[in-house]
Amino acid sequence: MDIDTIRAFVTVAELKSLSAAAFRMNHLQSNMTAKIKKIEAHYAQQLFIRSSKGMELTVEGKRLYTHYKKLLSLWEEAEQEMKQLEPKLRLGTMQSVIGSEITATLAGLYEKYPQLSVTLQTGSTAEMEQALMNGTIDLAFAIGASSKTEQLHYKKIGLEEVVLVGKGAVPGMSLKSILPGATVLILSEQCLYTSRMAQLFSDFGLPKAPVTQVAVVETLLQFAALGMGITLMSKRIVERLGVTNYLELPAEQRFLDKYVVTRQGYELSPLEKQFIEASHFL
């Protein structure tokens, strides 16, 4: 069984979706289906069942997943060792991405590689793009793309849902009643949430709102909860931090693309691949 087929099985098992797994691995969905059928034929057992929750592992599938996950981990460690690569990560993320997901991922890698060296830079998507082009980082997680320069490679990995947060932002309220006269809380002027908020005001024919910059996500959301202003934030982050006062946006304004960004022609190391696959941001 080749490593790509093993990885396909693990990816489908974790994402519970053939289409999502195909997207992540940059395969056609038909190729992904063929790989799963190949494994099931090899073991002469049904390994997945379709349910309302997606592709669920059978008892036999769960047993195989445990073994294949170990195999992948050993293979990645072998690649790292045999290629004599220094265990290092030079990463960039938007500040709103930093949280328990990335912390847990790094903790797991430190257990495997005690000598791991990590450079972590945070900032806006535009700042991450510039850091990549300057060579100070090698890999960035970004929500939205500010320039789509030819110097960089953007791999779309999904969508990020954005919600409006504020004391009065509760289900049943309308944007028309919340936006007029509100102060906008932002992480930075360069943040794509800032430009998306400005677009909301423009769409409703409202003048530019007064802005307060708060550089820490948790503090920004606390200020919004107190009624000091409104802000746009990832729904994933909002729910993780226990915020309940938020309003979903209209469908056409609700989503931003998520990317893994590298320099054009840059080849990810086995360690970087491990980090990407383990991160729940994906």
Side-chain angles (χ1 to χ4, degrees):
M1 198 65 63
D2 64 271
I3 200 71
D4 192 61
T5 300
I6 292 172
R7 191 184 299 280
F9 175 85
V10 169
T11 306
V12 172
E14 292 177 345
L15 298 181
K16 298 185 178 182
S17 167
L18 281 166
S19 58
F23 185 84
R24 176 177 291 187
M25 293 186 65
N26 200 26
H27 288 336
L28 295 174
Q29 186 169 332
S30 58
N31 290 347
M32 191 67 66
T33 301
K35 289 178 184 296
I36 299 303
K37 286 183 177 179
K38 177 182 177 181
I39 297 174
E40 289 185 322
H42 178 75
Y43 293 109
Q45 297 185 68
Q46 183 179 5
L47 302 174
F48 288 96
I49 54 173
R50 291 187 179 275
S51 74
S52 58
K53 296 180 181 179
M55 298 281 288
E56 296 278 350
L57 289 169
T58 62
V59 173
E60 294 80 9
K62 290 177 181 178
R63 187 179 301 121
L64 184 62
Y65 170 79
T66 300
H67 291 304
Y68 272 6
K69 191 70 174 175
K70 291 177 182 177
L71 279 173
L72 274 182
S73 180
L74 288 171
W75 179 80
E76 287 159 352
E77 288 181 25
E79 287 284 289
Q80 185 73 28
E81 260 187 52
M82 296 306 293
K83 291 182 178 180
Q84 298 182 344
L85 299 174
E86 180 186 352
K88 69 175 182 178
L89 292 169
R90 301 197 308 160
L91 311 169
T93 78
M94 290 179 61
Q95 190 177 5
S96 59
V97 173
I98 292 292
S100 59
E101 301 97 336
I102 285 182
T103 302
T105 302
L106 289 175
L109 289 178
Y110 270 112
E111 285 185 13
K112 280 187 180 180
Y113 309 104
Q115 303 305 312
L116 176 64
S117 168
V118 177
T119 299
L120 182 61
Q121 183 171 333
T122 63
S124 67
T125 294
E127 289 169 333
M128 295 301 96
E129 291 168 337
Q130 191 58 55
L132 283 165
M133 289 187 286
N134 291 343
T136 55
I137 60 174
D138 301 315
L139 169 73
F141 288 150
I143 299 175
S146 69
S147 61
K148 281 294 190 78
T149 172
E150 292 183 358
Q151 292 176 260
L152 300 177
H153 173 69
Y154 298 79
K155 178 175 174 55
K156 185 177 174 181
I157 55 174
L159 296 172
E160 189 79 353
E161 183 175 357
V162 178
V163 294
L164 183 79
V165 183
K167 189 173 183 180
V170 293
M173 295 295 290
S174 68
L175 289 175
K176 286 183 179 180
S177 64
I178 294 173
L179 294 179
T183 296
V184 173
L185 305 174
I186 65 172
L187 287 169
S188 75
E189 291 286 351
Q190 295 77 32
C191 178
L192 287 178
Y193 296 153
T194 303
S195 59
R196 179 57 60 95
M197 181 70 89
Q199 186 62 50
L200 278 179
F201 275 79
S202 176
D203 289 346
F204 282 93
L206 298 171
K208 187 176 180 181
V211 170
T212 299
Q213 183 170 330
V214 184
V216 180
V217 172
E218 288 82 356
T219 304
L220 181 147
L221 292 176
Q222 287 169 359
F223 283 1
L226 289 172
M228 295 174 62
I230 58 174
T231 190
L232 290 182
M233 185 56 62
S234 160
K235 185 177 181 180
R236 176 177 53 85
I237 301 297
V238 166
E239 291 184 338
R240 176 169 62 79
L241 294 177
V243 176
T244 56
N245 284 11
Y246 65 83
L247 187 66
E248 293 185 345
L249 300 179
E252 64 274 13
Q253 298 159 327
R254 185 180 300 176
F255 299 101
L256 287 170
D257 292 332
K258 293 198 296 187
Y259 297 96
V260 169
V261 191
T262 58
R263 290 181 292 279
Q264 281 288 1
Y266 180 79
E267 184 176 348
L268 292 171
S269 72
L271 187 59
E272 288 167 335
K273 290 177 182 177
Q274 286 181 65
F275 179 80
I276 290 172
E277 288 167 8
S279 172
H280 289 276
F281 174 72
L282 307 185

